[in-house]
Amino acid sequence: MPAYITSIGIAVPENCIDQSTIAEFMIRASQLDSSEARKLRVLYRSTKIQKRYSVLNDYGKTEDFEFYANTPDLEPFPTVSQRMLAYRKHALPLALKAVDSALEIRRSKSANAHSSTDFTHLITVSCTGLYAPGLDIELVEALQLSRQVQRTSINFMGCYGAFNGLKVADHIVQADPTAKVLLVCIELCTLHFQKKPDENYLLSNALFADGASAVLIEGQPQGLSLSMQSFHCDLLFEGRNDMAWHVGDFGFEMVLSSYIPRLVKGGLGELMTQLQQNTSLPTFDFYAIHPGGRAILEAAETQLGLTSGDNRYAYDILREYGNMSSCTVLFVLQRLLQERTQEDIGKHIFSCAFGPGLTLETGIFRVV
């Protein structure tokens, strides 16, 4: 008996900032010379991102900063403690916004929709902030869930974290088809801006943004839903130094090398070969690839034999939101599910995401 994704809600902060405006902020903050500034502008244009969202409005300003210091070099730079205080301030409201969106979509499908109190399980996913008592407990209180709701927190797994949340929910519902699971992914990546003139930081600063997603998982489909068919993962140890996420003195530091697309391309090819040998793969009608960046999407297309049209949902989310770490692939799945009709029932979706390790996570879903 499979588990079903019956609703996906998404949310972003109020501060919507053009990619070109963010580039100018980074140029000033990093105090780049004219040659370096020109290269950075080219990098930002090459991402194909038009805008990003942040819980901080400083990235759209040239003065009167609220989070960063009002000095030319932003010194003293915010500490981990200051960034975690900001995470705690902004995470819950954004997560609740995503949950409200998911509940509203679910209510539109059925009169037997969830109230905000009847979830049996709560799963939270984040790699951009930690505190205890944590977001899970705050959600229980804010949503007035049962104090006996079973909670699981998945932390610091990076962009593929949503798949781990979906897998946990799948096991829960398969064990108890009456279970009602709420999965919440919340990432405030922009709290961790690093101004060192290092290629890793310049690239990550050009890609990451803030967002949240909420998923309802149940034992029966409700309206057009996604049946979770199977999950598969692999580890490419040779890429452990090419994508990493460390806690530094002044925020979390992302290692993101230009070698990643090549690793993803090879790893996906090997993983698909293994799947074809060990399982009976369906024909895939749609694709939901994590938009980690333009080069990663192009590498996945080459390996999977896709066109940019096949991959359009990922490009749309990358263009409109940037990379929001774990919740991004759920934005892609939400957009894809939103456009499905009765004619799509029975069709299959292949989805994947990548993260530190180097980890490859894949999921196969069916429209029901």
Side-chain angles (χ1 to χ4, degrees), residues 31 49 57 70 76 92 104 113 136 144 148 157 166 174 217 228 236-237 240 264 275 305 337 363 368:
Q31 299 185 303
I49 297 170
N57 63 12
N70 281 283
L92 179 63
E104 182 60 33
D136 56 335
Q144 297 183 318
Q148 283 72 49
M157 300 194 84
L166 290 172
Q174 288 198 49
I217 300 101
M228 296 195 280
L236 308 178
F237 291 118
R240 71 170 75 226
V264 167
L275 293 182
L337 179 58
V368 296

Side-chain angles (χ1 to χ4, degrees), residues 245-304:
W245 193 220
H246 304 299
V247 179
D249 293 333
F250 298 97
F252 299 174
E253 300 176 354
M254 168 62 76
V255 175
L256 199 64
S257 85
S258 57
Y259 189 53
I260 292 171
R262 196 183 313 174
L263 287 169
V264 167
K265 180 180 176 182
L268 265 180
E270 184 177 344
L271 181 57
M272 294 302 288
T273 298
Q274 293 172 0
L275 293 182
Q276 289 165 347
Q277 291 173 346
N278 299 323
T279 62
S280 178
L281 285 181
T283 299
F284 297 120
D285 304 280
F286 306 106
Y287 294 85
I289 311 297
H290 166 66
R294 181 179 58 83
I296 287 179
L297 290 179
E298 291 173 351
E301 289 165 15
T302 300
Q303 188 57 62
L304 298 174

Side-chain angles (χ1 to χ4, degrees), residues 21-22 24-26 28-29 57-66 69-72 74:
T21 301
I22 300 173
E24 297 307 314
F25 174 92
M26 297 299 176
R28 291 191 300 271
N57 63 12
D58 288 0
Y59 298 111
K61 301 167 70 175
T62 58
E63 58 185 4
D64 297 326
F65 301 132
E66 298 176 17
N70 281 283
T71 58
L74 306 185

Side-chain angles (χ1 to χ4, degrees), residues 32-182:
L32 303 182
D33 61 30
S34 59
S35 175
E36 293 168 330
R38 185 171 60 255
K39 292 177 183 178
L40 193 73
R41 292 187 186 104
V42 171
L43 170 64
Y44 273 59
R45 286 195 297 270
S46 72
T47 63
K48 303 302 182 183
I49 297 170
Q50 290 183 356
K51 58 187 178 182
R52 288 184 277 165
Y53 293 81
S54 173
V55 294
L56 305 176
N57 63 12
D58 288 0
Y59 298 111
K61 301 167 70 175
T62 58
E63 58 185 4
D64 297 326
F65 301 132
E66 298 176 17
F67 182 69
Y68 294 107
N70 281 283
T71 58
D73 59 358
L74 306 185
E75 294 291 347
F77 211 42
T79 63
V80 170
S81 175
Q82 291 171 309
R83 296 172 197 251
M84 290 301 93
L85 286 173
Y87 179 90
R88 184 164 188 171
K89 174 183 176 181
H90 295 290
L92 179 63
L94 190 59
L96 289 172
K97 189 176 175 182
V99 174
D100 286 344
S101 173
L103 289 172
E104 182 60 33
I105 293 170
R106 177 65 175 82
R107 281 190 289 267
S108 71
K109 292 183 175 185
S110 170
N112 299 318
H114 286 288
S115 71
S116 61
T117 60
D118 62 356
F119 291 105
T120 59
H121 296 74
L122 172 64
I123 303 169
T124 55
V125 178
S126 186
C127 70
T128 50
L130 291 167
Y131 57 96
L135 178 65
D136 56 335
I137 292 176
E138 291 184 347
L139 282 167
V140 170
E141 183 176 23
L143 294 170
Q144 297 183 318
L145 305 183
S146 166
R147 289 181 297 167
Q148 283 72 49
V149 67
Q150 298 190 44
R151 296 175 285 114
T152 302
S153 293
I154 296 171
N155 301 113
F156 225 67
M157 300 194 84
C159 295
Y160 64 88
F163 278 98
N164 290 279
L166 290 172
K167 287 192 285 188
V168 171
D170 183 45
H171 286 300
I172 290 169
V173 174
Q174 288 198 49
D176 178 8
T178 67
K180 295 179 175 64
V181 184
L182 172 61

